[in-house]
Amino acid sequence: MCGITGIINLSNQRFGVSDKKIFKDLLVATSLRGKHSTGLFTVPIDNSESVKILKRAVPASEFIDTKEFDLLMKDFNDYKYIVGHTRYATIGEINDKNAHPFVSENIISVHNGSVDNKHEICVIGGKQGSDCEVDSEALAIALSKKSIEDFVGKVEGAFAIVWYDIKEKKLHFIRNTERPLHFGIVKDDDTILFASEAEALYFVAKRNDVELSKIFSLNVGTLLTFDKDRNFETKKIYDGQRVM
């Protein structure tokens, strides 16, 4: 079991100090789902700038105290999307390499769940099955070669996946019945919080005196996409049931 969390800024206004505090709290709250590793990636408002990635094989409480994390947070106001992950290791060793996010060519991704046929998914990405030590890495590799519609029906097991396509400059979300993913809309603000657990959204919002006008779960089998201009769309691509 792992945890996914983050913030989406749909406003012309930049993130503020309170948003930075909310993200740190969300990352720590989400670490209840995984304390073996922590990581994040940030997507800048300026589409010409690079995505930044940081991951370490430490719990979130230690991760947020690192100098590298502090450096990323200094530019927090320049981000439109920030995605965090806390890992509970099920497949693969506990080390920095196996922490999320995973990068494969134009894809940066985080995954909550366990893919039973990781070698088959790795082959879809043009690799040898033995090239993928971690199932989440296999997903990133497959996404770098194929669209999610091409292979989602072949993924055996449990998943919630969030990935960013550097070429298309699009942020994507999808899940099946086996893993949760919730979104909280901040009242009177074009900001969306997301987390694996709705309880984390409730807790962090209350802790930071933020009112959420709505909390909802992403429908299974539905692909949610935000483009480079922060417009979003949803598309049902399959039934979202677990593939055995």
Side-chain angles (χ1 to χ4, degrees), residues 41-152:
F41 68 87
T42 64
V43 180
I45 295 172
D46 185 343
N47 290 308
S48 67
E49 294 186 3
S50 301
V51 175
K52 297 177 181 178
I53 299 168
L54 178 64
K55 59 180 188 176
R56 295 286 185 271
V58 297
S61 57
E62 294 182 28
F63 184 81
I64 63 174
D65 283 336
T66 63
K67 292 181 180 179
E68 295 87 350
F69 181 81
D70 282 343
L71 285 173
L72 282 182
M73 291 300 100
K74 286 182 179 179
D75 295 328
F76 193 88
N77 293 353
D78 295 330
Y79 307 142
K80 58 184 173 184
Y81 312 134
I82 180 164
V83 178
H85 184 276
T86 59
R87 181 188 184 217
Y88 183 89
T90 55
I91 300 175
E93 297 179 2
I94 300 171
N95 54 37
D96 289 353
K97 176 180 178 293
N98 290 340
H100 299 227
F102 284 94
V103 180
S104 180
E105 297 183 12
N106 57 305
I107 298 298
I108 303 169
S109 68
V110 298
H111 164 232
N112 171 27
S114 182
V115 177
D116 300 329
N117 61 333
K118 67 173 182 176
H119 296 306
E120 178 184 345
I121 301 303
C122 195
V123 170
I124 289 173
K127 300 283 188 177
Q128 298 293 321
S130 58
D131 291 337
C132 297
E133 178 185 355
V134 181
D135 55 343
S136 305
E137 180 184 24
L139 289 170
I141 290 170
L143 284 166
S144 70
K145 296 300 184 182
K146 301 287 186 178
S147 70
I148 188 69
E149 291 95 334
D150 292 335
F151 70 89
V152 68

